[in-house]
Structure formats: structure tokens, C-alpha cells
Amino acid sequence: MTIIVKKTTQILVGIIVLFGAYIITHGHLTPGGGFAGGTIIAGAFILLILAYGDDVMHLRATKEDSSQLENIALFMFLLFGSLGMFMIPSVFFKNYLPLGTVGELLSAGVIPLFNFFVGIEVAAALFTIFLAFVILKEEDK
């Protein structure tokens, strides 16, 4: 890619990741949440690979790292969901944290935590899928 595309990508990737993090953290207050924010963050990393080429992030190691991150996020999501069962038996995904004041960032109990883990899981999963396509294409050469 040209130097213009690379420099523009350098500037935009940070802004896009920050916007994705905003969407994830404010998912319980505004439209959005973990899935939408995770998709935005994955798009930022995909944009980085498209601009700089497939050798920018040492793709084989990154694919395994993103897959491990996906698994850890999914495990944490299920762990927090299961903790509700210990608070009130037979209630999966029980909201066991204080609800706080409606409209504030630290409110809604465990929902912001679920948004965070879903965001990480979705970003890692979409990035892993994209990397699998890139690596598959490289192996065909």
C-alpha cells in the first residue's frame, strides 16, 4: 500500500479501537455493547493488516494468541454467568452485583462485565477468522 494509506491507517486504528472500547463500556447505557464494540475493534486490526500487509503482526503467532484470547474471554463470560448460580441456586446469569444508579457508567450489576467479555471474545473471534483466511491464502501461493 502507499504511504498515504499506511499513515492514515496509523492514525485511524487508535481512534477506531478507542471507539470500540467506548461502545463496549457504554453498552448498558446506549445502543451497542460487547458484540458491536468487539466487531469495531476487530475491524481496526483487520484494517491494519490490509494496509501493512500480512507480515506486519507475525500472523502465525498472532492467530494463536487471538484464539487463546477468545477462549479466555469465553471462559470468563461463562464463569461470571455461573457465579449467579451460587448466589441463588438454579439461576444462570443472575445479576449479583449492586445495580448502582441508573444512567451512570458503573451501574447495571454484571451486565458491563458481560459486555466486556463478549467484546473481547467477538473481537478475537473475528480477527482469528480473518487471519485464517489470510494464512490460507498465503499457503496456497
Side-chain angles (χ1 to χ4, degrees):
M1 288 286 169
T2 65
I3 189 74
I4 296 171
V5 172
K6 289 180 179 177
K7 287 298 176 186
T8 304
T9 300
Q10 261 184 343
I11 295 169
L12 287 179
V13 163
I15 295 170
I16 293 171
V17 169
L18 210 63
F19 181 66
Y22 172 82
I23 294 294
I24 290 172
T25 56
H26 289 79
H28 62 291
L29 300 173
T30 60
F35 191 89
T39 304
I40 292 169
I41 290 174
F45 287 109
I46 290 170
L47 178 67
L48 198 63
I49 288 177
L50 290 176
Y52 283 91
D54 55 359
D55 58 339
V56 67
M57 298 176 80
H58 308 288
L59 291 181
R60 300 219 188 283
T62 304
K63 179 185 172 228
E64 292 173 6
D65 291 344
S66 65
S67 183
Q68 287 176 354
L69 185 63
E70 176 190 357
N71 292 335
I72 291 170
L74 186 60
F75 174 74
M76 293 301 293
F77 180 81
L78 291 174
L79 180 69
F80 273 90
S82 300
L83 285 177
M85 291 180 70
F86 295 111
M87 303 295 171
I88 297 176
S90 73
V91 178
F92 195 53
F93 289 111
K94 170 72 178 153
N95 197 353
Y96 50 88
L97 291 178
L99 296 178
T101 305
V102 175
E104 290 188 4
L105 186 60
L106 296 177
S107 62
V110 294
I111 293 173
L113 291 173
F114 287 145
N115 278 337
F116 177 73
F117 293 125
V118 167
I120 291 173
E121 201 279 335
V122 168
L126 291 177
F127 189 59
T128 302
I129 291 169
F130 179 78
L131 289 178
F133 284 130
V134 170
I135 291 171
L136 189 67
K137 181 182 172 191
E138 289 296 317
E139 289 177 353
D140 286 343
K141 288 182 180 178

